[in-house]
Amino acid sequence: MIYSYLLATVIVFLGCKWLLASFNHPLANPLLWSIVTFITLFSVTPLDYQDYAQANTLFIALLEPAVVALAIPLFLQLQQIKAQKFAIFLSCSVGVFMALISGTATAWLMTNDLQLLLSLLPKSVTSPIAMAIANQVGGIASLSAAVVIFVGLVGAVFGFQILKLFNITNKQAQGVAMGCSAHAIGTAKAIEAGQTQGAFSSLALVICGVMTAILAPLFAWFIAFL
Amino acid sequence: MWSNAFKTLIHFSRSIAVILTFLFLGKALNQLTGLPIPGSIWGLLLLFTCLSLRIIPLKLVQPSTNLLLSYITLFFVPVGVGLLEHLQLLSNHWPVIVISSLVSTFIVLICVGKLYQYLIKGNHNDL
């Protein structure tokens, strides 16, 4: 019965959450260790990952209505968002440029593989947008999707630690930074941190996603000239 | 007591139906516009607009959204396990991917956080 894998996801996740609850370290992240557990399981045992994937399509499908549901925390913060619309818009614009430039520049120092550079371009936005951009600019969509997940995990695991380290204590600032840098996985972590962080992260996720969809093709055109 | 449980169930189902309707509308917009913006993001924007314009009352959608959002991290577990399928592709380029992802994510976090805090200086009502 492959659907026991659906239950396995729930049990492993709740188990990790319970086990790691007492550790106050960024690496004590239940999402990270649930993923590590399953990847190890399917790498070292003859169990078939395809069965797992098939059983868990339900959870992946639930992500779509969950993203629509982000409209509620956003609406609850409507007054605060209106009051800071200029700061939000400017921060997201700078964030999108920074993500595109810093990601490409760092990668460019290490490789001249154009297809790889183009696949890394949409790494800070939510995966459906990233895959569409990759297809459009000539990157490898599945590589982009994988990098997006990795970036999301980096943000979810280290994000709040980094923000604290640099004295970024304002809840709205934390939310915007998480949404800009680590899209939906970062937003999931921001929701755990609090309602304000969750709402501002959702907002940044949407604004940065749309801006990146517009700007990435222009960047790709520029990279191809380098 | 039974009538209360029944009411809760009705409210919950109604709220799910509203969310799915907006997801469907979002997907339609994605198809119609052909833009690289996914249906779920269009759905979010449409629902947010309708809530803001008081076309849809908050009470109608809220019952199921708390549940959906409190488990959103759980839904990302199978997404992350999906990295397994790209292990080959990732391992071919892992130094570039790991370093540029780490550096870029940290730069964006710090710059955006600092900039936003600077821009709203003097308005500390939500600290």
PDB file of all heavy atoms in Angstrom, chain A residues 49 64 67 75 84 98 102 123 129 142 146 166-170 172 181 192 196, chain B residues 27 38 44 51 73 82-83 85-86 104-105 109 111 114 116-117 120 123 126:
ATOM      1  N   TYR A  49      11.542   5.393  -4.773  1.00  0.00           N
ATOM      2  CA  TYR A  49      11.150   6.787  -4.588  1.00  0.00           C
ATOM      3  C   TYR A  49       9.875   7.109  -5.364  1.00  0.00           C
ATOM      4  O   TYR A  49       9.044   7.894  -4.905  1.00  0.00           O
ATOM      5  CB  TYR A  49      12.274   7.739  -5.010  1.00  0.00           C
ATOM      6  CG  TYR A  49      11.788   9.151  -5.197  1.00  0.00           C
ATOM      7  CD1 TYR A  49      11.412   9.911  -4.092  1.00  0.00           C
ATOM      8  CD2 TYR A  49      11.638   9.703  -6.463  1.00  0.00           C
ATOM      9  CE1 TYR A  49      10.906  11.187  -4.246  1.00  0.00           C
ATOM     10  CE2 TYR A  49      11.129  10.982  -6.619  1.00  0.00           C
ATOM     11  CZ  TYR A  49      10.765  11.722  -5.521  1.00  0.00           C
ATOM     12  OH  TYR A  49      10.254  12.974  -5.687  1.00  0.00           O
ATOM     13  N   GLU A  64      -0.816  24.461  -3.613  1.00  0.00           N
ATOM     14  CA  GLU A  64      -1.468  25.499  -4.435  1.00  0.00           C
ATOM     15  C   GLU A  64      -2.576  26.228  -3.669  1.00  0.00           C
ATOM     16  O   GLU A  64      -2.530  27.459  -3.572  1.00  0.00           O
ATOM     17  CB  GLU A  64      -1.991  24.887  -5.738  1.00  0.00           C
ATOM     18  CG  GLU A  64      -0.887  24.609  -6.718  1.00  0.00           C
ATOM     19  CD  GLU A  64      -1.421  24.298  -8.099  1.00  0.00           C
ATOM     20  OE1 GLU A  64      -2.368  23.490  -8.207  1.00  0.00           O
ATOM     21  OE2 GLU A  64      -0.901  24.848  -9.075  1.00  0.00           O
ATOM     22  N   VAL A  67      -1.045  28.479  -1.064  1.00  0.00           N
ATOM     23  CA  VAL A  67      -0.539  29.764  -1.561  1.00  0.00           C
ATOM     24  C   VAL A  67      -1.697  30.755  -1.725  1.00  0.00           C
ATOM     25  O   VAL A  67      -1.572  31.918  -1.349  1.00  0.00           O
ATOM     26  CB  VAL A  67       0.244  29.582  -2.888  1.00  0.00           C
ATOM     27  CG1 VAL A  67       0.522  30.924  -3.548  1.00  0.00           C
ATOM     28  CG2 VAL A  67       1.552  28.851  -2.632  1.00  0.00           C
ATOM     29  N   PHE A  75      -4.347  40.145   3.969  1.00  0.00           N
ATOM     30  CA  PHE A  75      -5.490  41.028   4.178  1.00  0.00           C
ATOM     31  C   PHE A  75      -5.543  41.542   5.622  1.00  0.00           C
ATOM     32  O   PHE A  75      -5.857  42.700   5.868  1.00  0.00           O
ATOM     33  CB  PHE A  75      -6.792  40.296   3.824  1.00  0.00           C
ATOM     34  CG  PHE A  75      -8.027  41.066   4.181  1.00  0.00           C
ATOM     35  CD1 PHE A  75      -8.350  42.219   3.490  1.00  0.00           C
ATOM     36  CD2 PHE A  75      -8.850  40.645   5.215  1.00  0.00           C
ATOM     37  CE1 PHE A  75      -9.484  42.943   3.814  1.00  0.00           C
ATOM     38  CE2 PHE A  75      -9.976  41.369   5.549  1.00  0.00           C
ATOM     39  CZ  PHE A  75     -10.301  42.512   4.845  1.00  0.00           C
ATOM     40  N   GLN A  84       3.182  51.215   4.555  1.00  0.00           N
ATOM     41  CA  GLN A  84       4.595  51.036   4.193  1.00  0.00           C
ATOM     42  C   GLN A  84       4.780  50.692   2.720  1.00  0.00           C
ATOM     43  O   GLN A  84       5.788  50.076   2.357  1.00  0.00           O
ATOM     44  CB  GLN A  84       5.216  49.921   5.048  1.00  0.00           C
ATOM     45  CG  GLN A  84       5.107  50.122   6.537  1.00  0.00           C
ATOM     46  CD  GLN A  84       5.851  51.345   7.035  1.00  0.00           C
ATOM     47  OE1 GLN A  84       6.566  51.997   6.267  1.00  0.00           O
ATOM     48  NE2 GLN A  84       5.688  51.669   8.292  1.00  0.00           N
ATOM     49  N   MET A  98      19.469  42.560  -6.441  1.00  0.00           N
ATOM     50  CA  MET A  98      20.546  41.933  -5.677  1.00  0.00           C
ATOM     51  C   MET A  98      20.580  40.430  -5.927  1.00  0.00           C
ATOM     52  O   MET A  98      21.653  39.843  -6.090  1.00  0.00           O
ATOM     53  CB  MET A  98      20.340  42.187  -4.176  1.00  0.00           C
ATOM     54  CG  MET A  98      20.674  43.574  -3.771  1.00  0.00           C
ATOM     55  SD  MET A  98      22.331  43.961  -4.268  1.00  0.00           S
ATOM     56  CE  MET A  98      22.999  44.543  -2.800  1.00  0.00           C
ATOM     57  N   SER A 102      23.889  39.216  -7.586  1.00  0.00           N
ATOM     58  CA  SER A 102      24.824  38.492  -6.713  1.00  0.00           C
ATOM     59  C   SER A 102      24.890  37.007  -7.077  1.00  0.00           C
ATOM     60  O   SER A 102      25.972  36.417  -7.086  1.00  0.00           O
ATOM     61  CB  SER A 102      24.436  38.674  -5.247  1.00  0.00           C
ATOM     62  OG  SER A 102      23.193  38.068  -4.994  1.00  0.00           O
ATOM     63  N   LYS A 123      16.702  31.642  -9.110  1.00  0.00           N
ATOM     64  CA  LYS A 123      16.795  30.795  -7.914  1.00  0.00           C
ATOM     65  C   LYS A 123      16.050  31.329  -6.694  1.00  0.00           C
ATOM     66  O   LYS A 123      15.755  30.575  -5.781  1.00  0.00           O
ATOM     67  CB  LYS A 123      18.261  30.563  -7.548  1.00  0.00           C
ATOM     68  CG  LYS A 123      18.923  31.852  -7.154  1.00  0.00           C
ATOM     69  CD  LYS A 123      20.293  31.671  -6.625  1.00  0.00           C
ATOM     70  CE  LYS A 123      20.863  33.027  -6.268  1.00  0.00           C
ATOM     71  NZ  LYS A 123      19.873  34.078  -5.923  1.00  0.00           N
ATOM     72  N   ILE A 129       7.264  29.826 -11.023  1.00  0.00           N
ATOM     73  CA  ILE A 129       7.767  31.001 -11.743  1.00  0.00           C
ATOM     74  C   ILE A 129       9.182  30.718 -12.240  1.00  0.00           C
ATOM     75  O   ILE A 129       9.516  30.986 -13.402  1.00  0.00           O
ATOM     76  CB  ILE A 129       7.776  32.264 -10.834  1.00  0.00           C
ATOM     77  CG1 ILE A 129       6.353  32.606 -10.386  1.00  0.00           C
ATOM     78  CG2 ILE A 129       8.398  33.463 -11.566  1.00  0.00           C
ATOM     79  CD1 ILE A 129       6.234  33.892  -9.586  1.00  0.00           C
ATOM     80  N   SER A 142      14.419  21.813 -14.785  1.00  0.00           N
ATOM     81  CA  SER A 142      14.477  20.930 -13.616  1.00  0.00           C
ATOM     82  C   SER A 142      15.656  21.285 -12.707  1.00  0.00           C
ATOM     83  O   SER A 142      15.576  21.155 -11.494  1.00  0.00           O
ATOM     84  CB  SER A 142      14.533  19.464 -14.029  1.00  0.00           C
ATOM     85  OG  SER A 142      15.649  19.239 -14.840  1.00  0.00           O
ATOM     86  N   ALA A 146      15.362  22.495  -8.748  1.00  0.00           N
ATOM     87  CA  ALA A 146      16.169  21.917  -7.667  1.00  0.00           C
ATOM     88  C   ALA A 146      16.914  23.007  -6.904  1.00  0.00           C
ATOM     89  O   ALA A 146      16.944  23.005  -5.669  1.00  0.00           O
ATOM     90  CB  ALA A 146      17.140  20.894  -8.234  1.00  0.00           C
ATOM     91  N   PHE A 166      22.614  40.395  12.101  1.00  0.00           N
ATOM     92  CA  PHE A 166      22.795  41.729  11.545  1.00  0.00           C
ATOM     93  C   PHE A 166      21.800  42.728  12.135  1.00  0.00           C
ATOM     94  O   PHE A 166      21.523  43.767  11.542  1.00  0.00           O
ATOM     95  CB  PHE A 166      22.712  41.690  10.015  1.00  0.00           C
ATOM     96  CG  PHE A 166      23.972  41.185   9.392  1.00  0.00           C
ATOM     97  CD1 PHE A 166      24.190  39.816   9.286  1.00  0.00           C
ATOM     98  CD2 PHE A 166      24.963  42.058   8.960  1.00  0.00           C
ATOM     99  CE1 PHE A 166      25.374  39.339   8.742  1.00  0.00           C
ATOM    100  CE2 PHE A 166      26.124  41.581   8.411  1.00  0.00           C
ATOM    101  CZ  PHE A 166      26.339  40.213   8.309  1.00  0.00           C
ATOM    102  N   ASN A 167      21.241  42.359  13.290  1.00  0.00           N
ATOM    103  CA  ASN A 167      20.406  43.277  14.027  1.00  0.00           C
ATOM    104  C   ASN A 167      19.137  43.691  13.290  1.00  0.00           C
ATOM    105  O   ASN A 167      18.658  44.811  13.461  1.00  0.00           O
ATOM    106  CB  ASN A 167      21.233  44.527  14.379  1.00  0.00           C
ATOM    107  CG  ASN A 167      21.076  44.871  15.840  1.00  0.00           C
ATOM    108  OD1 ASN A 167      20.234  44.271  16.523  1.00  0.00           O
ATOM    109  ND2 ASN A 167      21.855  45.821  16.308  1.00  0.00           N
ATOM    110  N   ILE A 168      18.632  42.811  12.448  1.00  0.00           N
ATOM    111  CA  ILE A 168      17.384  43.101  11.738  1.00  0.00           C
ATOM    112  C   ILE A 168      16.263  42.492  12.581  1.00  0.00           C
ATOM    113  O   ILE A 168      15.953  41.313  12.475  1.00  0.00           O
ATOM    114  CB  ILE A 168      17.422  42.548  10.304  1.00  0.00           C
ATOM    115  CG1 ILE A 168      18.538  43.245   9.518  1.00  0.00           C
ATOM    116  CG2 ILE A 168      16.086  42.756   9.599  1.00  0.00           C
ATOM    117  CD1 ILE A 168      19.082  42.463   8.363  1.00  0.00           C
ATOM    118  N   THR A 169      15.709  43.333  13.471  1.00  0.00           N
ATOM    119  CA  THR A 169      14.781  42.812  14.472  1.00  0.00           C
ATOM    120  C   THR A 169      13.336  43.198  14.194  1.00  0.00           C
ATOM    121  O   THR A 169      12.421  42.642  14.787  1.00  0.00           O
ATOM    122  CB  THR A 169      15.155  43.357  15.864  1.00  0.00           C
ATOM    123  OG1 THR A 169      15.322  44.768  15.763  1.00  0.00           O
ATOM    124  CG2 THR A 169      16.443  42.736  16.365  1.00  0.00           C
ATOM    125  N   ASN A 170      13.134  44.153  13.288  1.00  0.00           N
ATOM    126  CA  ASN A 170      11.779  44.568  12.949  1.00  0.00           C
ATOM    127  C   ASN A 170      11.059  43.417  12.245  1.00  0.00           C
ATOM    128  O   ASN A 170      11.585  42.831  11.297  1.00  0.00           O
ATOM    129  CB  ASN A 170      11.826  45.805  12.054  1.00  0.00           C
ATOM    130  CG  ASN A 170      10.449  46.275  11.672  1.00  0.00           C
ATOM    131  OD1 ASN A 170       9.851  45.744  10.746  1.00  0.00           O
ATOM    132  ND2 ASN A 170       9.924  47.235  12.396  1.00  0.00           N
ATOM    133  N   GLN A 172       8.425  43.297  10.300  1.00  0.00           N
ATOM    134  CA  GLN A 172       8.107  43.519   8.884  1.00  0.00           C
ATOM    135  C   GLN A 172       9.360  43.340   8.037  1.00  0.00           C
ATOM    136  O   GLN A 172       9.317  42.692   6.982  1.00  0.00           O
ATOM    137  CB  GLN A 172       7.539  44.934   8.683  1.00  0.00           C
ATOM    138  CG  GLN A 172       6.231  45.160   9.422  1.00  0.00           C
ATOM    139  CD  GLN A 172       5.693  46.560   9.211  1.00  0.00           C
ATOM    140  OE1 GLN A 172       6.307  47.390   8.551  1.00  0.00           O
ATOM    141  NE2 GLN A 172       4.532  46.828   9.781  1.00  0.00           N
ATOM    142  N   SER A 181      14.283  36.581  -0.388  1.00  0.00           N
ATOM    143  CA  SER A 181      15.440  35.709  -0.566  1.00  0.00           C
ATOM    144  C   SER A 181      15.063  34.239  -0.674  1.00  0.00           C
ATOM    145  O   SER A 181      15.727  33.489  -1.376  1.00  0.00           O
ATOM    146  CB  SER A 181      16.414  35.896   0.595  1.00  0.00           C
ATOM    147  OG  SER A 181      15.780  35.551   1.802  1.00  0.00           O
ATOM    148  N   GLU A 192       5.734  30.592  10.748  1.00  0.00           N
ATOM    149  CA  GLU A 192       5.982  30.004  12.072  1.00  0.00           C
ATOM    150  C   GLU A 192       6.484  31.065  13.055  1.00  0.00           C
ATOM    151  O   GLU A 192       6.205  30.989  14.245  1.00  0.00           O
ATOM    152  CB  GLU A 192       7.013  28.871  11.976  1.00  0.00           C
ATOM    153  CG  GLU A 192       6.462  27.614  11.321  1.00  0.00           C
ATOM    154  CD  GLU A 192       7.542  26.575  11.045  1.00  0.00           C
ATOM    155  OE1 GLU A 192       8.651  26.689  11.608  1.00  0.00           O
ATOM    156  OE2 GLU A 192       7.267  25.661  10.256  1.00  0.00           O
ATOM    157  N   THR A 196       2.926  38.793  11.508  1.00  0.00           N
ATOM    158  CA  THR A 196       3.474  39.916  10.748  1.00  0.00           C
ATOM    159  C   THR A 196       4.534  39.430   9.774  1.00  0.00           C
ATOM    160  O   THR A 196       4.499  39.756   8.587  1.00  0.00           O
ATOM    161  CB  THR A 196       4.094  40.964  11.698  1.00  0.00           C
ATOM    162  OG1 THR A 196       3.129  41.284  12.700  1.00  0.00           O
ATOM    163  CG2 THR A 196       4.499  42.208  10.963  1.00  0.00           C
TER     164      THR A 196
ATOM    165  N   LYS B  27      -5.855  29.857 -12.244  1.00  0.00           N
ATOM    166  CA  LYS B  27      -5.319  28.993 -13.299  1.00  0.00           C
ATOM    167  C   LYS B  27      -5.839  29.412 -14.671  1.00  0.00           C
ATOM    168  O   LYS B  27      -5.116  29.368 -15.657  1.00  0.00           O
ATOM    169  CB  LYS B  27      -5.672  27.526 -13.021  1.00  0.00           C
ATOM    170  CG  LYS B  27      -4.890  26.982 -11.855  1.00  0.00           C
ATOM    171  CD  LYS B  27      -4.998  25.476 -11.736  1.00  0.00           C
ATOM    172  CE  LYS B  27      -4.101  25.024 -10.616  1.00  0.00           C
ATOM    173  NZ  LYS B  27      -3.284  23.893 -10.945  1.00  0.00           N
ATOM    174  N   PRO B  38       2.210  31.830 -11.959  1.00  0.00           N
ATOM    175  CA  PRO B  38       1.389  30.634 -11.747  1.00  0.00           C
ATOM    176  C   PRO B  38      -0.014  30.950 -11.258  1.00  0.00           C
ATOM    177  O   PRO B  38      -0.265  32.017 -10.677  1.00  0.00           O
ATOM    178  CB  PRO B  38       2.166  29.844 -10.693  1.00  0.00           C
ATOM    179  CG  PRO B  38       3.086  30.805 -10.062  1.00  0.00           C
ATOM    180  CD  PRO B  38       3.369  31.872 -11.060  1.00  0.00           C
ATOM    181  N   LEU B  44      -4.079  34.068  -5.311  1.00  0.00           N
ATOM    182  CA  LEU B  44      -3.764  34.860  -4.111  1.00  0.00           C
ATOM    183  C   LEU B  44      -4.127  36.326  -4.345  1.00  0.00           C
ATOM    184  O   LEU B  44      -4.805  36.958  -3.525  1.00  0.00           O
ATOM    185  CB  LEU B  44      -2.271  34.723  -3.803  1.00  0.00           C
ATOM    186  CG  LEU B  44      -1.653  35.216  -2.497  1.00  0.00           C
ATOM    187  CD1 LEU B  44      -0.192  34.794  -2.429  1.00  0.00           C
ATOM    188  CD2 LEU B  44      -1.763  36.689  -2.266  1.00  0.00           C
ATOM    189  N   LEU B  51     -11.080  40.451  -0.975  1.00  0.00           N
ATOM    190  CA  LEU B  51     -11.191  40.708   0.463  1.00  0.00           C
ATOM    191  C   LEU B  51     -11.075  42.199   0.744  1.00  0.00           C
ATOM    192  O   LEU B  51     -11.844  42.758   1.524  1.00  0.00           O
ATOM    193  CB  LEU B  51     -10.088  39.953   1.219  1.00  0.00           C
ATOM    194  CG  LEU B  51     -10.254  38.451   1.402  1.00  0.00           C
ATOM    195  CD1 LEU B  51      -8.947  37.827   1.887  1.00  0.00           C
ATOM    196  CD2 LEU B  51     -11.370  38.130   2.377  1.00  0.00           C
ATOM    197  N   THR B  73       4.474  23.963   5.932  1.00  0.00           N
ATOM    198  CA  THR B  73       5.834  23.411   5.969  1.00  0.00           C
ATOM    199  C   THR B  73       5.830  21.903   5.697  1.00  0.00           C
ATOM    200  O   THR B  73       6.696  21.390   4.995  1.00  0.00           O
ATOM    201  CB  THR B  73       6.508  23.704   7.324  1.00  0.00           C
ATOM    202  OG1 THR B  73       6.400  25.095   7.588  1.00  0.00           O
ATOM    203  CG2 THR B  73       7.970  23.346   7.306  1.00  0.00           C
ATOM    204  N   GLY B  82      11.965  15.521  -3.457  1.00  0.00           N
ATOM    205  CA  GLY B  82      12.076  15.522  -4.912  1.00  0.00           C
ATOM    206  C   GLY B  82      13.462  15.887  -5.420  1.00  0.00           C
ATOM    207  O   GLY B  82      13.793  15.609  -6.576  1.00  0.00           O
ATOM    208  N   LEU B  83      14.287  16.503  -4.552  1.00  0.00           N
ATOM    209  CA  LEU B  83      15.685  16.803  -4.927  1.00  0.00           C
ATOM    210  C   LEU B  83      16.407  15.526  -5.355  1.00  0.00           C
ATOM    211  O   LEU B  83      17.349  15.565  -6.141  1.00  0.00           O
ATOM    212  CB  LEU B  83      16.431  17.436  -3.750  1.00  0.00           C
ATOM    213  CG  LEU B  83      16.163  18.897  -3.440  1.00  0.00           C
ATOM    214  CD1 LEU B  83      16.868  19.309  -2.169  1.00  0.00           C
ATOM    215  CD2 LEU B  83      16.643  19.780  -4.600  1.00  0.00           C
ATOM    216  N   GLU B  85      15.552  13.328  -7.351  1.00  0.00           N
ATOM    217  CA  GLU B  85      15.493  13.114  -8.794  1.00  0.00           C
ATOM    218  C   GLU B  85      16.539  13.939  -9.546  1.00  0.00           C
ATOM    219  O   GLU B  85      16.835  13.660 -10.695  1.00  0.00           O
ATOM    220  CB  GLU B  85      14.095  13.475  -9.315  1.00  0.00           C
ATOM    221  CG  GLU B  85      13.059  12.453  -8.957  1.00  0.00           C
ATOM    222  CD  GLU B  85      11.769  12.652  -9.721  1.00  0.00           C
ATOM    223  OE1 GLU B  85      11.088  13.668  -9.475  1.00  0.00           O
ATOM    224  OE2 GLU B  85      11.447  11.808 -10.569  1.00  0.00           O
ATOM    225  N   HIS B  86      17.032  14.995  -8.883  1.00  0.00           N
ATOM    226  CA  HIS B  86      17.987  15.877  -9.556  1.00  0.00           C
ATOM    227  C   HIS B  86      19.385  15.734  -8.997  1.00  0.00           C
ATOM    228  O   HIS B  86      20.245  16.558  -9.284  1.00  0.00           O
ATOM    229  CB  HIS B  86      17.528  17.331  -9.428  1.00  0.00           C
ATOM    230  CG  HIS B  86      16.122  17.542  -9.870  1.00  0.00           C
ATOM    231  ND1 HIS B  86      15.730  17.363 -11.170  1.00  0.00           N
ATOM    232  CD2 HIS B  86      15.009  17.879  -9.178  1.00  0.00           C
ATOM    233  CE1 HIS B  86      14.434  17.596 -11.262  1.00  0.00           C
ATOM    234  NE2 HIS B  86      13.969  17.903 -10.064  1.00  0.00           N
ATOM    235  N   SER B 104      24.360  34.489  -2.382  1.00  0.00           N
ATOM    236  CA  SER B 104      23.289  35.345  -2.868  1.00  0.00           C
ATOM    237  C   SER B 104      22.139  35.437  -1.864  1.00  0.00           C
ATOM    238  O   SER B 104      21.605  36.524  -1.619  1.00  0.00           O
ATOM    239  CB  SER B 104      22.799  34.821  -4.211  1.00  0.00           C
ATOM    240  OG  SER B 104      21.716  35.555  -4.652  1.00  0.00           O
ATOM    241  N   THR B 105      21.767  34.304  -1.243  1.00  0.00           N
ATOM    242  CA  THR B 105      20.662  34.323  -0.281  1.00  0.00           C
ATOM    243  C   THR B 105      21.005  35.204   0.924  1.00  0.00           C
ATOM    244  O   THR B 105      20.177  35.996   1.381  1.00  0.00           O
ATOM    245  CB  THR B 105      20.324  32.888   0.182  1.00  0.00           C
ATOM    246  OG1 THR B 105      20.055  32.098  -0.976  1.00  0.00           O
ATOM    247  CG2 THR B 105      19.102  32.863   1.078  1.00  0.00           C
ATOM    248  N   LEU B 109      19.111  38.683   1.986  1.00  0.00           N
ATOM    249  CA  LEU B 109      18.530  38.777   3.336  1.00  0.00           C
ATOM    250  C   LEU B 109      19.008  40.032   4.054  1.00  0.00           C
ATOM    251  O   LEU B 109      18.206  40.813   4.589  1.00  0.00           O
ATOM    252  CB  LEU B 109      18.964  37.564   4.166  1.00  0.00           C
ATOM    253  CG  LEU B 109      18.104  36.314   4.154  1.00  0.00           C
ATOM    254  CD1 LEU B 109      18.852  35.162   4.808  1.00  0.00           C
ATOM    255  CD2 LEU B 109      16.789  36.547   4.894  1.00  0.00           C
ATOM    256  N   CYS B 111      20.735  42.809   2.842  1.00  0.00           N
ATOM    257  CA  CYS B 111      20.445  44.088   2.177  1.00  0.00           C
ATOM    258  C   CYS B 111      18.981  44.471   2.320  1.00  0.00           C
ATOM    259  O   CYS B 111      18.670  45.614   2.686  1.00  0.00           O
ATOM    260  CB  CYS B 111      20.792  44.010   0.683  1.00  0.00           C
ATOM    261  SG  CYS B 111      22.545  43.901   0.397  1.00  0.00           S
ATOM    262  N   LYS B 114      18.067  45.263   6.076  1.00  0.00           N
ATOM    263  CA  LYS B 114      18.648  46.539   6.510  1.00  0.00           C
ATOM    264  C   LYS B 114      17.956  47.712   5.832  1.00  0.00           C
ATOM    265  O   LYS B 114      17.618  48.704   6.475  1.00  0.00           O
ATOM    266  CB  LYS B 114      20.156  46.570   6.180  1.00  0.00           C
ATOM    267  CG  LYS B 114      21.011  45.813   7.173  1.00  0.00           C
ATOM    268  CD  LYS B 114      21.191  46.623   8.452  1.00  0.00           C
ATOM    269  CE  LYS B 114      22.017  45.872   9.478  1.00  0.00           C
ATOM    270  NZ  LYS B 114      21.816  46.382  10.834  1.00  0.00           N
ATOM    271  N   TYR B 116      14.948  47.890   4.469  1.00  0.00           N
ATOM    272  CA  TYR B 116      13.573  48.073   4.929  1.00  0.00           C
ATOM    273  C   TYR B 116      13.546  48.736   6.301  1.00  0.00           C
ATOM    274  O   TYR B 116      12.766  49.647   6.552  1.00  0.00           O
ATOM    275  CB  TYR B 116      12.832  46.732   4.960  1.00  0.00           C
ATOM    276  CG  TYR B 116      11.361  46.886   5.231  1.00  0.00           C
ATOM    277  CD1 TYR B 116      10.461  47.082   4.190  1.00  0.00           C
ATOM    278  CD2 TYR B 116      10.863  46.882   6.522  1.00  0.00           C
ATOM    279  CE1 TYR B 116       9.115  47.259   4.426  1.00  0.00           C
ATOM    280  CE2 TYR B 116       9.517  47.055   6.782  1.00  0.00           C
ATOM    281  CZ  TYR B 116       8.645  47.238   5.721  1.00  0.00           C
ATOM    282  OH  TYR B 116       7.307  47.422   5.968  1.00  0.00           O
ATOM    283  N   GLN B 117      14.454  48.275   7.187  1.00  0.00           N
ATOM    284  CA  GLN B 117      14.502  48.856   8.527  1.00  0.00           C
ATOM    285  C   GLN B 117      14.869  50.332   8.472  1.00  0.00           C
ATOM    286  O   GLN B 117      14.337  51.156   9.200  1.00  0.00           O
ATOM    287  CB  GLN B 117      15.511  48.098   9.394  1.00  0.00           C
ATOM    288  CG  GLN B 117      14.837  47.299  10.463  1.00  0.00           C
ATOM    289  CD  GLN B 117      15.747  46.546  11.391  1.00  0.00           C
ATOM    290  OE1 GLN B 117      15.300  45.618  11.989  1.00  0.00           O
ATOM    291  NE2 GLN B 117      16.999  46.904  11.538  1.00  0.00           N
ATOM    292  N   ILE B 120      11.822  52.519   7.161  1.00  0.00           N
ATOM    293  CA  ILE B 120      10.673  52.737   8.051  1.00  0.00           C
ATOM    294  C   ILE B 120      11.108  53.339   9.388  1.00  0.00           C
ATOM    295  O   ILE B 120      10.356  53.355  10.341  1.00  0.00           O
ATOM    296  CB  ILE B 120       9.869  51.442   8.293  1.00  0.00           C
ATOM    297  CG1 ILE B 120      10.725  50.375   8.972  1.00  0.00           C
ATOM    298  CG2 ILE B 120       9.286  50.905   7.005  1.00  0.00           C
ATOM    299  CD1 ILE B 120       9.877  49.309   9.641  1.00  0.00           C
ATOM    300  N   ASN B 123       9.220  54.801  12.644  1.00  0.00           N
ATOM    301  CA  ASN B 123       7.893  54.202  12.739  1.00  0.00           C
ATOM    302  C   ASN B 123       8.043  52.837  13.408  1.00  0.00           C
ATOM    303  O   ASN B 123       8.067  51.811  12.769  1.00  0.00           O
ATOM    304  CB  ASN B 123       7.300  54.061  11.331  1.00  0.00           C
ATOM    305  CG  ASN B 123       5.927  53.434  11.348  1.00  0.00           C
ATOM    306  OD1 ASN B 123       5.359  53.202  12.413  1.00  0.00           O
ATOM    307  ND2 ASN B 123       5.399  53.154  10.176  1.00  0.00           N
ATOM    308  N   ASP B 126       5.579  48.538  15.355  1.00  0.00           N
ATOM    309  CA  ASP B 126       5.394  47.087  15.195  1.00  0.00           C
ATOM    310  C   ASP B 126       6.643  46.293  15.549  1.00  0.00           C
ATOM    311  O   ASP B 126       6.842  45.196  15.078  1.00  0.00           O
ATOM    312  CB  ASP B 126       4.958  46.776  13.761  1.00  0.00           C
ATOM    313  CG  ASP B 126       4.314  45.409  13.670  1.00  0.00           C
ATOM    314  OD1 ASP B 126       3.439  45.145  14.516  1.00  0.00           O
ATOM    315  OD2 ASP B 126       4.693  44.635  12.797  1.00  0.00           O
TER     316      ASP B 126
END
